[in-house]
Amino acid sequence: MRRLRSASLLAGLLLAALPILGAGIDTAQYLEDVKTLSSAKFKGRLSGTRELDEAAQWLAARFQEIGLRPPPGGFLQRFHVTTAAQAGRSTRLSYTLGGKTTVLKLSEEYTPLGLSSNGAASGPLVFAGYGITAPEYGYDDYAGLDVRGKVVVILRHEPQEYDDRSVFGGRVYTNHAQIESKAVNALRHGAAALILVDDAPSHRGSAGLEKLGNGIGPDAPGIPAVEIKPAIFEKWLEAAGQSFEKIIEGIDEDLRPRSFAFPAALTVDLTVDLHRETRPVYNVLAWLPGTTEEYVIACAHYDHVGLGQQYSMDPSRRGEIHPGADDNASGTAGVLALARWFAAQPPPRRGILFIAFGGEEFGLLGSNYYLRNPVLPLSNAVAVINLDMIGRMRDNKLYVGGAESSPGFKQLIAEMNRNGDGPFEIEDDDTGDYGSSDHFALATAEIPYLFFFTGLHPDYHTPRDTWDRINAAGAARVLQFVSRILEHLVQ
Ligand SMILES: [Zn+2]
Ligand SMILES: [Zn+2]
């Protein structure tokens, strides 16, 4: 499945012989923290709001109180998200083919991407496959291609996305599939503008055009960027004597790029004029040094969906506070509980970097930002523990993802569960069926991860996700289990 850096993370450990330790979790304190984080004063913790900034300050103060150090750069790591974007009047896109100019309809045939910079570009067009340069996989859509000053057309996603044996992530996308990575790569190769097309043959039935204004996303990397309908792209391919299906099948088959310059008879003329609003969001980080350079990341996202916005699962109650007690005050309070326990122990061999991520609900923005701007070398990170929704334990059932991400994890989980205070019924959660979380982003850096989750429920992303419905005793048992695992990972 995924290539691993730390194949021998746990090799040689005789797990059964190790003592069963594990944190003493203060259940009352835990519930108090969930209550505070999900209280009305933080207004549903929407990324980009003053209330989320206040929640960040509150978390930083807790970490400090616990006695943890700020990592290099401080407790707060700031990044920006686009909270709203509108296309201004001079936004336009037309193409000329064989002397005939066609002006495309905004929102119907094309739309600027939320991360687009403002600017104009015109001239010949180059097709650059998936727009990916991945030396680690021996794959480069830009190999032998001159795109300097030209407009590049690239596909969404990445090669071999339905292939579990893919050198790319297979069913889990790697970081190369992120539009932002593609924009940065196009810029690096000197492209003047970027046109994105849904890889439609791989996704029959999808709309093919994202809506702007759902344009909450990362900050602009510095290149004008639009998305067009696959039907337009197919017209261009026809003029070049190419087939959409054959391009995709070809790349999937041998991972050799199918990039080319379109005939000179085809040119585009594009202007993006976006009115964007951006707001800062913070990741909150705290550092517990070990006696070596290596460390484990223990994380949870602390943002939620505010008043529901476009994320509410109960549209009739949009506008009311969505408190997000389970999603994910439960995991954030869990990170605090782990921090309290480990800070009170003798220094571990490996350090622990505690992170509360912002921007998760908008698309893992905080963890993706962190990946590109780590405060400690990612090469020293041996594992990630991610907690997302651990507050609704029912029927003693615990979902654990990532057991396959490192040899030894399966055994570790089984051992720690067997010797615990009554075993959980553990279910694998590697399908992503329950939606993604920050470990998806961190897994793209090929750090082995474990993800803990007590399951979906009808109150998910609704105003009913309140603190009084949290199973605090169940969460405390999950945290004891997690702390036993973490204890072995840092020793
Ligand atoms: Zn969540
Ligand atoms: Zn959520």
Side-chain angles (χ1 to χ4, degrees):
M1 221 174 85
R2 182 164 297 283
R3 299 187 321 152
L4 299 170
R5 181 189 295 129
S6 301
S8 61
L9 185 56
L10 293 158
L13 279 188
L14 292 171
L15 293 171
L18 287 169
I20 299 308
L21 308 163
I25 299 294
D26 182 341
T27 310
Q29 175 71 63
Y30 171 80
L31 190 59
E32 201 51 42
D33 288 344
V34 171
K35 209 166 156 178
T36 303
L37 282 163
S38 58
S39 66
K41 73 171 169 178
F42 294 138
K43 232 176 161 179
R45 304 186 310 282
L46 185 72
S47 288
T49 62
R50 185 171 44 84
E51 288 80 8
L52 191 75
D53 297 353
E54 284 163 12
Q57 299 286 354
W58 183 85
L59 282 167
R62 297 291 77 71
F63 280 134
Q64 195 159 27
E65 186 180 271
I66 289 166
L68 294 177
R69 301 186 192 172
F75 283 117
L76 299 180
Q77 179 183 50
R78 188 171 72 166
F79 60 100
H80 282 84
V81 296
T82 298
T83 50
Q86 271 182 335
R89 270 185 309 161
S90 51
T91 299
R92 69 174 251 128
L93 173 60
S94 66
Y95 67 91
T96 303
L97 180 58
K100 185 178 170 266
T101 298
T102 307
V103 179
L104 298 179
K105 290 190 203 77
L106 179 66
S107 306
E108 281 172 45
E109 294 173 305
Y110 82 100
T111 179
L113 294 173
L115 55 60
S116 177
S117 300
N118 289 340
S122 62
L125 209 55
V126 176
F127 173 65
Y130 288 90
I132 291 174
T133 300
E136 70 275 34
Y137 305 130
Y139 182 84
D140 185 6
D141 282 310
Y142 287 92
L145 205 63
D146 181 12
V147 302
R148 272 170 301 169
K150 295 173 187 156
V151 178
V152 289
V153 189
I154 59 172
L155 304 177
R156 201 183 272 281
H157 303 139
E158 62 192 11
Q160 298 183 336
E161 52 188 89
Y162 295 117
D163 187 348
D164 284 332
R165 290 158 307 170
S166 168
V167 296
F168 285 88
R171 281 156 207 280
V172 182
Y173 293 124
T174 71
N175 210 30
H176 296 293
Q178 303 276 346
I179 295 171
E180 199 191 6
S181 308
K182 296 182 185 219
V184 169
N185 198 31
L187 200 60
R188 197 182 293 145
H189 284 88
L194 179 159
I195 296 178
L196 183 76
V197 190
D198 209 17
D199 47 341
S202 299
H203 300 272
R204 288 285 173 219
S206 80
L209 206 57
E210 300 255 308
K211 240 196 219 115
L212 181 69
N214 287 352
I216 298 176
D219 212 5
I223 185 169
V226 300
E227 179 176 14
I228 57 166
K229 270 244 150 108
I232 311 287
F233 180 58
E234 280 178 271
K235 274 184 201 155
W236 297 350
L237 286 177
E238 203 179 302
Q242 299 270 357
S243 137
F244 207 165
E245 280 81 7
K246 281 205 180 114
I247 288 170
I248 289 194
E249 284 167 20
I251 296 175
D252 279 355
E253 208 170 289
D254 57 16
L255 283 184
R256 298 245 305 274
R258 297 295 194 275
S259 308
F260 62 87
F262 278 94
L266 174 66
T267 57
V268 293
D269 189 350
L270 122 93
T271 303
V272 176
D273 167 31
L274 267 194
H275 301 205
R276 312 165 75 229
E277 281 167 40
T278 65
R279 282 275 303 145
V281 180
Y282 300 89
N283 291 329
V284 190
L285 302 97
W287 176 227
L288 178 68
T291 56
T292 64
E293 301 273 272
E294 291 186 330
Y295 64 96
V296 174
I297 294 173
C299 62
H301 75 88
Y302 72 103
D303 67 305
H304 191 53
V305 299
L307 305 182
Q309 322 316 111
Q310 71 261 44
Y311 305 96
S312 181
M313 296 294 278
D314 187 351
S316 70
R317 296 185 65 184
R318 221 169 257 167
E320 292 176 47
I321 291 177
H322 287 49
D326 186 30
D327 185 13
N328 185 28
S330 72
T332 309
V335 166
L336 287 177
L338 293 173
R340 277 194 194 95
W341 169 257
F342 282 95
Q345 307 305 310
R349 190 167 73 81
R350 292 175 171 138
I352 306 176
L353 180 62
F354 297 95
I355 310 181
F357 285 117
E360 193 268 357
E361 302 282 8
F362 291 177
L364 316 182
L365 300 184
S367 45
N368 271 304
Y369 181 84
Y370 183 79
L371 265 187
R372 292 188 302 277
N373 304 276
V375 299
L376 296 170
L378 285 175
S379 53
N380 291 337
V382 299
V384 171
I385 301 266
N386 184 31
L387 312 175
D388 196 352
M389 299 173 65
I390 58 163
R392 294 289 193 110
M393 163 81 52
R394 281 146 299 162
D395 305 327
N396 201 35
K397 200 179 276 177
L398 180 63
Y399 296 84
V400 180
E404 304 277 0
S405 69
S406 178
F409 273 0
K410 271 210 150 130
Q411 192 197 346
L412 178 64
I413 291 164
E415 286 294 332
M416 294 303 106
N417 192 31
R418 188 175 314 142
N419 292 296
D421 49 346
F424 296 111
E425 188 188 312
I426 290 186
E427 296 215 3
D428 286 350
D429 176 41
D430 284 315
T431 56
D433 285 354
Y434 303 101
S436 61
S437 182
D438 293 305
H439 59 279
F440 268 59
L442 294 163
T444 64
E446 294 172 0
I447 306 168
Y449 69 91
L450 288 172
F451 164 57
F452 299 89
F453 169 53
T454 50
L456 273 187
H457 46 79
D459 302 331
Y460 169 71
H461 281 208
T462 75
R464 299 184 305 273
D465 183 6
T466 49
W467 71 269
D468 53 303
R469 298 183 185 205
I470 292 294
N471 178 352
R477 287 184 56 229
V478 172
L479 290 167
Q480 260 144 22
F481 177 58
V482 171
S483 71
R484 287 195 293 270
I485 289 172
L486 188 49
E487 214 141 38
H488 285 296
L489 291 175
V490 297
Q491 274 166 9

